[in-house]
Amino acid sequence: MNDAPLSDAERKMQFLYALRSKGVTDARVLSAMESVDRGPFITGLFAARAYEDMPLPIACGQTISQPSVVGLMTQALEVSPRDKVLEIGTGSGYQAAILSKLARRVYTIDRHRRLVREARVIFDEMGLTNITTLAADGSHGLPQQAPFDRIIVTAAAEDPPGPLLAQLKEGGIMVLPVGQSDTVQHLIRVRKTADGLEYDEMRAVRFVPLLEGLGKEA
Ligand code: SAH
């Protein structure tokens, strides 16, 4: 063994291996994650750690999620190519970029204008033309584009926000972390059927809280 830095190909293999070993096995999800470079979504001090399976700090005191959690949430969402997807919590834009490879259109909302602006620049550079970005309080959803086939929330609420459940199509799936912030939260998957809502609990996670209103800009 030596400590020579990994080549790009080795780093990519290690990244995909970490995803698989944590349960991300869906071929479409893996290939979407292989095709979106996480590097551009992380700037500054932590840029060198972009290919490690860990959450990292981004601007506005927020966090880019751990790649394996992004993979598991994306997999649980069962996105198909005709789907219209809503994401609450753009953050770095990484999750939205992956969804854009799997869905027809992605609407992504963050309460921090700066994050939305910076993510938009990366989407444009990557040629991801099917993503619509918005700066707003996403807990109200996006009524003018509802209903959605899939909804993903990447910030934790105590309960699934009512407006988001209302904006989910029948047959639709929503994946989100629920629980009190700073304690244990769980990822849950909600399916909307003709008979009502079905809930599945997935693994324990830790996300930043879903907050009200627009963020105060520095
Ligand atoms: N999906 C992101 C990680 C998101 S971190 C990624 O791939 O990088 C959670 C994000 O949720 C933060 O950017 C935070 O600003 C945002 N957020 C919290 N409450 C919100 C709300 N009510 N509406 C919209 N965004 C919100």
Side-chain angles (χ1 to χ4, degrees):
M1 290 294 285
N2 61 39
D3 291 334
L6 294 179
S7 69
D8 281 355
E10 285 168 327
R11 246 178 3 196
K12 203 167 189 175
M13 266 172 55
Q14 213 171 54
F15 184 76
L16 290 169
Y17 179 79
L19 294 176
R20 281 202 198 88
S21 69
K22 296 202 174 136
V24 185
T25 51
D26 182 284
R28 285 184 73 232
V29 173
L30 285 167
S31 98
M33 292 189 76
E34 188 173 0
S35 70
V36 176
D37 185 0
R38 192 168 180 248
F41 296 95
I42 300 158
T43 51
L45 228 49
F46 294 96
R49 314 198 74 165
Y51 305 100
E52 293 174 34
D53 189 29
M54 51 166 62
L56 292 169
I58 56 170
C60 304
Q62 303 304 315
T63 316
I64 178 172
S65 310
Q66 186 175 353
S68 55
V69 171
V70 171
L72 289 171
M73 289 178 83
T74 308
Q75 186 166 282
L77 213 53
E78 297 174 16
V79 182
S80 50
R82 299 178 60 85
D83 285 349
K84 181 161 81 166
V85 181
L86 174 65
E87 180 194 30
I88 309 304
T90 312
S92 66
Y94 180 63
Q95 170 78 73
I98 289 160
L99 291 168
S100 81
K101 300 282 183 183
L102 297 167
R104 177 167 56 85
R105 175 144 292 276
V106 177
Y107 294 87
T108 183
I109 306 181
D110 204 286
R111 60 190 290 279
H112 285 289
R113 289 180 203 285
R114 173 176 168 190
L115 293 176
V116 171
R117 201 168 53 231
E118 292 179 356
R120 180 78 260 163
V121 171
I122 303 174
F123 299 151
D124 291 344
E125 280 169 5
M126 290 185 165
L128 304 176
T129 53
N130 62 339
I131 307 179
T132 303
T133 49
L134 291 108
D137 178 348
S139 50
H140 307 299
L142 191 57
Q144 56 278 36
Q145 293 297 340
F148 295 94
D149 301 290
R150 302 289 184 261
I151 300 179
I152 180 169
V153 187
T154 62
E158 279 185 35
D159 296 299
L164 298 183
L165 289 172
Q167 290 170 34
L168 188 62
K169 211 178 259 182
E170 191 178 306
I173 299 176
M174 172 154 104
V175 173
L176 76 166
V178 292
Q180 313 238 322
S181 53
D182 294 335
T183 60
V184 179
Q185 307 157 355
H186 280 91
L187 277 183
I188 61 166
R189 171 163 59 179
V190 186
R191 269 178 204 274
K192 193 182 236 184
T193 70
D195 300 329
L197 300 169
E198 288 172 5
Y199 292 84
D200 267 329
E201 192 170 297
M202 299 161 60
R203 50 166 277 183
V205 282
R206 197 152 180 182
F207 275 82
V208 299
L210 189 74
L211 298 174
E212 280 181 21
L214 276 173
K216 287 206 180 62
E217 301 302 309

